[in-house]
Amino acid sequence: MTPHWHAYTYTGPSRPRDSDARNPAAAAPPLVIAEWPGKPLSMLAGTFTTAEAALDWLAQQLAETPPLPTALPAAAILAHARARLAAHPADEVTRYYTAGSYVARDLVRCTGRCPAPPAGD
């Protein structure tokens, strides 16, 4: 299988309850990143075969739903993501508050439990 990343999204009024995060059927980000593939497929935003493409997606998401001015700036989040995607296990969890919502934009390196393989696999 070609190495690739899955991008997952969640936007809600607040951080989800832990019981929803643990429930595979609930459209809420999981507590453990490895559990993303078991969440509803509607939360899958994309599949990327390069870390650079995954980072481009994350940059676009941060531009569209920026963190609060008191949070880490988007540039710092992207720098951390760039370093993290080059490391093992090559995942990036990006969760933050905006002016009116709680946002999760997570990149997960596929380990074989693949909800949507890249084209050609």
Side-chain angles (χ1 to χ4, degrees):
M1 179 182 299
T2 302
H4 60 278
W5 289 263
H6 297 294
Y8 294 94
T9 64
Y10 169 84
T11 302
S14 62
R15 185 181 165 276
R17 298 178 314 203
D18 284 356
S19 60
D20 289 334
R22 285 197 272 304
N23 179 353
L31 297 174
V32 178
I33 197 164
E35 294 174 358
W36 262 120
K39 286 294 191 167
L41 197 55
S42 62
M43 299 183 80
L44 179 67
T47 298
F48 307 99
T49 56
T50 67
E52 200 57 43
L55 288 165
D56 288 347
W57 172 83
L58 182 57
Q60 178 184 1
Q61 294 298 306
L62 286 163
E64 291 175 5
T65 54
L68 289 170
T70 55
L72 280 175
I77 293 170
L78 286 170
H80 176 75
R82 185 174 308 285
R84 186 78 184 125
L85 292 181
H88 180 76
D91 297 327
E92 173 59 21
V93 178
T94 305
R95 299 180 182 183
Y96 56 91
Y97 289 93
T98 67
S101 61
Y102 177 79
V103 173
R105 300 294 186 262
D106 296 348
L107 293 168
V108 181
R109 185 176 178 115
C110 188
T111 58
R113 199 168 125 200
C114 194
D121 270 1

